[in-house]
Structures are given as C-alpha cells and as structure tokens.
Amino acid sequence: MDYRRFFEDAIDQLHAEKRYRVFANLERIVGKFPRALWRTADSTREITVWCSNDYLGMGQHPAVIAAMHDASSRMGSGAGGTRNISGNNHPLVELESELADLHNKEAGLVFTSGFVSNEASISTIGRLLPNCLILSDELNHASMIEGVRRSGAEKKIFRHNDVAHLEELLKAAGKERAKLIVFESVYSMDGDIAPIAAIADLAEKYNAMTYIDEVHAVGMYGNRGGGITDQEGLADRIDIIEGTLAKAFGTLGGYITGSKTVIDAVRSYAPGFIFTTALPPVIAAAATASIRHLKVSQEERRLHQRQSQLAKDVLALANLPVMESQTHIVPVHVGDPELCKMASDRLLEVHGIYIQPINYPTVPRGTERLRITPTPFHSDELVVELKEALVEVWTALGIPFAKDNLPVIETNTRVVTLAVSKAGG
C-alpha cells in the first residue's frame, strides 16, 4: 500500500480548492511593532503586519519583557513537569489569582493554550453533568466545537446570536435537565458581539449554566480589561469565563475562571490539564505583568479603539468592501479563495504589507476575506498607506469594490479627512 499517496492526495485537494496555506517567515522587532522582518530563501525585508492578534502590542511592552527576563534569571526556562508533578510554579499560582480577580470570580485555571482550555473545560463539564445538553452557537470556534464533541453529551446548535432559537431549544429541554450554553463574546471573523444579557436571562429562566469565550475581548474591553462581560457589567451572571493570554495580553496560554467548585472539578478531571506540562514561569510572570498593567491603564484601549475605527472609516471611504463589524475586527470582503490568496500575496510582495487570507473552513465559502486588526501602534500614516495599497491591489486583480448589497460600514468623514490630512494623503 502506498501510504504516502493518501497524504499527497489530501494536500492536492487543498491546492485544488485554492485554500492551501503558506506561512510567512516573520521576525518581530521589539520597539518597532507592527514592523517585522520577512525572510525568504534569498532575501530579508522589513514589512508591516496588519493581522496580528497581539491587539495592543503588549508582547513588546517594557514591563512584560522585564517580568520575563527577571523570571528566567531566577527560575530558568521551563516548568519542569505537569502541575501534578513539579510544574506548579509560584508565578503560575499568582497568575491564576490575577485572572480570578480580573473576572471577579472565585478561582482561575491556566492551560497551555486557548484551544486546550476550551476543549478540556467544555468536554469535562459536559461529562460531569448528568444527561447534559450542550447548546452551542453555530459560529463557535473550532476549540469549542471539539470540546462539545469530546464531552459525549447531546448537543443542539442554535442559530448565530439568535436568542429566540436558543429559547426554543431550552424550553424543549425542560428546566430539570442539566444544560450548558456555550458561546463567544466577540466573534473574531465578523467582529460582532453576542447578546450576553439576553442569553444570561434565558439561562436563569431555564436553569442552565453559561460558558463564554472572551478570547478576542479580554484586555481590550471593560474598565479593567475583563472583556465584554466587564464592559457590560455581566461577569457575575456568567458561570464560566474563558480567555486567552496569547492575544491582547501578548504572551501564551488559555484559562477559565469561575466558582471554586467548578474550577476544582475541571482541574481534577480534565486530561488536557492533568497530563500536560505546566506553563513555564517566564510566561506566567510576563502574563501577570501584562494583566496588571491593563487593569489600570486605559491608554492602550483608547488608542486601539480609535485606530480601529479610523481604519474602518478610511477604507470604507475609499469604496473598499469593509464588512460591518461592532468591534476592533476590520474584515474586507473578497468572496473568492484564489483572489483572496492573490490579494494577500500582492500586498506582501508589492507593498510590504502582511495580511493573511481567511478562507474556508474558517469562514463560509463565498465570504473569503482579509481580516485586518489595527493596533495602537498602527499610526494614521500607516492607515493611509494600507488604504492606498488595498485600492491598488483591488484594481490590479479586478476584485469588486463596495456594492449596495454588501454590508459596509458608515464613515466618519470628518475624522477620516483629518487623519488623511495629517498623514499627507
């Protein structure tokens, strides 16, 4: 049997569907974010990254870097084992306490990634609840879907952000059955926000537990950076709040927060936690420094929201098909996987701008897009440069500009005019 051929066929299929992924060899530059070095086989070039999930640039913040250096000099690089063996380091204990405080919960639990925290927590909670029914938003992240699948529990999918459909499913299940509603606060491909208060109302009405994924909101929303639940004053109405340390906090890892009992149960039963080496003390110390800074500093969030809105306005005013977004995510519609890849390649090769194409299965076929994520460090001048580059690419490749039937955003013409004038555009 030619085993190799099976794998070649699988890769050929991706090429045929125009969704084979190529990774750019990037080297971030401390002090010059969002600039990075792009390395190829025969050259090295400085480019601008416009699709980083380091939303606030905290990966280069002096306090975060200093905390990492200090921890490495005192404790070395690795954790040395799982939490059950010898990996339960002091910075990790401090981090979990900091996370619990961030979300006003009794306890926190840190995992090696956001994917693992969702998969391990949802699957464990679903297994421990007798005859559990999991109700999952249809646009939930792959890690949440995997957690639901691995739980072995019955699942029902409710239409995206459709509280009426969710109520139908809850009513049919009855108040006495164990139920877990899993959803996100910010959906990262479209930038829309869940109706958290309405979902919490339904959970109370029908006696269900709630589990929210705040990975694309922690650090960036709320008075202390606790996410949308912090911003809307709803943290106390959600049973489990999950987040990541790898986006706005600029480090690595995932976590959950909740009551001591629920956190202890996941800690004690989740294989994805028990049998994985602990997060290294250098990472935990850096994450704690980032969280502590963002709990008290509003400047990063203020600038982030300004530059995100400016980018939406400038691009929309240039007749680019900016899809409607309630948050910092700036999706620009392409609608074809091959054109999406070509646009990404041309931006990088011709303009020195890196934006990874977003194709199926991350988004539905026909909604392929470039997902732009402005940060506080993307200046007004960089926003104008991005606009000019996108207009050139759209024109060169024949990609449709904004149409009446596309959900495009309204612009703040005064803000755009001032920014373009300031940038010399």
Side-chain angles (χ1 to χ4, degrees), residues 133-419:
L133 173 66
I134 300 181
L135 302 109
S136 177
D137 188 288
E138 67 176 338
L139 294 189
N140 276 342
H141 189 264
S143 58
M144 304 177 79
I145 295 171
E146 187 65 11
V148 173
R149 187 184 71 82
R150 287 183 174 272
S151 72
E154 182 184 358
K155 72 173 185 297
K156 296 288 184 182
I157 309 299
F158 61 93
R159 291 185 294 272
H160 179 53
N161 283 349
D162 189 333
V163 291
H165 187 212
L166 175 59
E167 182 165 21
E168 288 178 20
L169 299 174
L170 287 166
K171 186 181 296 185
K175 289 188 177 181
E176 299 308 312
R177 185 176 183 183
K179 297 172 292 296
L180 177 67
I181 306 170
V182 296
F183 63 108
E184 301 182 39
S185 62
V186 173
Y187 289 85
S188 65
M189 291 300 118
D190 295 316
D192 57 334
I193 297 174
I196 302 173
I199 291 175
D201 289 342
L202 290 178
E204 292 170 7
K205 181 177 179 180
Y206 292 98
N207 191 30
M209 287 187 69
T210 48
Y211 180 110
I212 192 169
D213 175 315
E214 286 258 42
V215 298
H216 291 279
V218 289
M220 296 175 290
Y221 298 92
N223 189 52
R224 299 199 309 155
I228 302 298
T229 49
D230 178 14
Q231 179 175 274
E232 298 183 358
L234 297 170
D236 63 325
R237 300 187 64 196
I238 302 297
D239 293 299
I240 302 105
I241 298 177
E242 186 266 353
T244 186
L245 306 169
K247 294 182 171 61
F249 293 129
T251 57
L252 179 71
Y255 65 87
I256 59 170
T257 61
S259 69
K260 288 181 179 179
T261 303
V262 171
I263 298 304
D264 198 20
V266 174
R267 179 189 72 86
S268 302
Y269 281 92
F273 174 83
I274 296 170
F275 299 105
T276 300
T277 298
L279 209 64
V282 291
I283 300 295
T288 299
S290 183
I291 294 164
R292 286 174 176 168
H293 174 82
L294 290 174
K295 279 181 177 178
V296 297
S297 175
Q298 303 300 326
E299 187 65 5
E300 289 83 2
R301 286 188 280 276
R302 184 189 68 79
L303 286 174
H304 181 244
Q305 289 299 314
R306 180 193 185 277
Q307 297 313 102
S308 296
Q309 188 60 52
L310 178 65
K312 292 177 186 179
D313 291 343
V314 168
L315 300 187
L317 199 62
N319 202 32
L320 288 156
V322 181
M323 302 167 69
E324 185 176 0
S325 167
Q326 298 173 269
T327 58
H328 59 283
I329 306 297
V330 185
V332 181
H333 184 270
V334 177
D336 177 272
E338 187 170 15
L339 279 176
C340 202
K341 178 66 165 60
M342 291 171 65
S344 175
D345 290 345
R346 187 173 181 87
L347 281 168
L348 185 57
E349 294 163 5
V350 177
H351 300 281
I353 289 174
Y354 179 64
I355 307 173
Q356 184 71 1
I358 305 296
N359 293 332
Y360 176 85
T362 306
V363 296
R365 297 182 195 274
T367 69
E368 292 83 3
R369 68 199 65 177
L370 298 181
R371 176 181 175 272
I372 298 167
T373 54
T375 74
F377 296 91
H378 286 90
S379 66
D380 293 1
E381 291 80 5
L382 287 178
V383 172
V384 173
E385 287 179 15
L386 172 67
K387 178 264 294 184
E388 292 172 349
L390 286 170
V391 168
E392 190 281 331
V393 168
W394 252 242
T395 303
L397 298 180
I399 302 173
F401 280 78
K403 296 179 179 179
D404 292 339
N405 63 341
L406 275 179
V408 298
I409 64 168
E410 296 181 0
T411 64
N412 185 330
T413 305
R414 180 177 180 275
V415 172
V416 173
T417 302
L418 289 172

